[in-house]
Amino acid sequence: MAMGLFDKVMKVAGGLSGGAKSDGKKEEIRNIFDSKVKDGGSYSVLAGMNMVTTKKLMKEVRTYYNYIIGYKDGDDPEIILISTSNDLASVDEPVLCKKSECKKAEYLQDTGSFSISHPMLGDGPVDFGVISSAAWGAPGSGALIIPVSYLDEYGPFTEFFQSRFVK
């Protein structure tokens, strides 16, 4: 069977799951989360990103936002968002979003991304997608996102978000 372009890109980038480099980055992300969040080990953790494109004169400007995301189920399900840089060198303080405190939480089916409106996140919603391919953040790709793959974790997070967190 012929290998498609997507398969070739993923093979070059270390495979669909991201390979050993992605596993090392996942461990680094987990360690950061655990160091910033009390009882961090009780949360499932993954990385997310959002790219915002704006037009300035005749030019498009893309701004990348990276997040470490922790979530856990319970009587009042929680998501913790931590803004970070693509190299994880700069990490902000965690923002705890309990479902009961959110103004709105929705899955944006058209883009496959998630949106949370919470008083601690500012006036507008925070939108993000799960980083599912290390290729998007691979050196030389021009992208400014964390080079990690959470492809296997995408399904469980989406299920949690849609069934337990959306409001």
Side-chain angles (χ1 to χ4, degrees):
M1 184 168 150
M3 187 181 276
L5 177 61
F6 181 73
D7 295 328
K8 288 179 182 176
V9 168
M10 297 310 290
K11 184 175 182 183
V12 168
L16 287 174
S17 65
K21 287 183 181 178
S22 183
D23 290 344
K25 193 60 72 176
K26 284 181 180 182
E27 185 176 340
E28 184 180 356
I29 288 167
R30 166 53 81 180
N31 290 339
I32 291 169
F33 187 84
D34 289 352
S35 73
K36 290 278 197 180
V37 176
K38 182 180 178 183
D39 198 24
S42 67
Y43 291 80
S44 296
V45 176
L46 45 86
M49 60 80 62
N50 189 30
M51 179 183 71
V52 176
T53 303
T54 53
K55 291 196 178 228
K56 297 202 177 187
L57 297 174
M58 303 294 283
K59 186 177 172 182
E60 284 189 349
V61 176
R62 290 183 180 89
T63 304
Y64 293 87
Y65 298 92
N66 291 277
Y67 304 99
I68 297 173
I69 302 158
Y71 68 99
K72 73 176 175 180
D73 206 348
D75 293 338
D76 194 5
E78 301 175 1
I79 292 179
I80 292 179
L81 294 174
I82 304 173
S83 293
T84 186
S85 57
N86 66 314
D87 60 2
L88 303 173
S90 173
V91 180
D92 290 347
E93 290 304 309
V95 176
L96 171 62
C97 302
K98 290 182 177 259
K99 179 180 178 176
S100 64
E101 298 168 351
C102 287
K103 296 179 214 168
K104 188 172 187 178
E106 62 182 324
Y107 177 69
L108 306 172
Q109 194 157 351
D110 290 349
T111 59
S113 58
F114 310 89
S115 181
I116 298 175
S117 296
H118 187 277
M120 296 296 295
L121 295 173
D123 293 334
V126 170
D127 297 342
F128 62 90
V130 174
I131 300 174
S132 58
S133 170
W136 297 113
S141 70
L144 297 173
I145 66 171
I146 303 167
V148 66
S149 173
Y150 280 97
L151 181 63
D152 294 337
E153 294 85 354
Y154 179 81
F157 178 74
T158 302
E159 172 65 25
F160 163 81
F161 197 90
Q162 290 180 310
S163 66
R164 298 290 294 142
F165 206 79
V166 165
K167 65 184 292 184

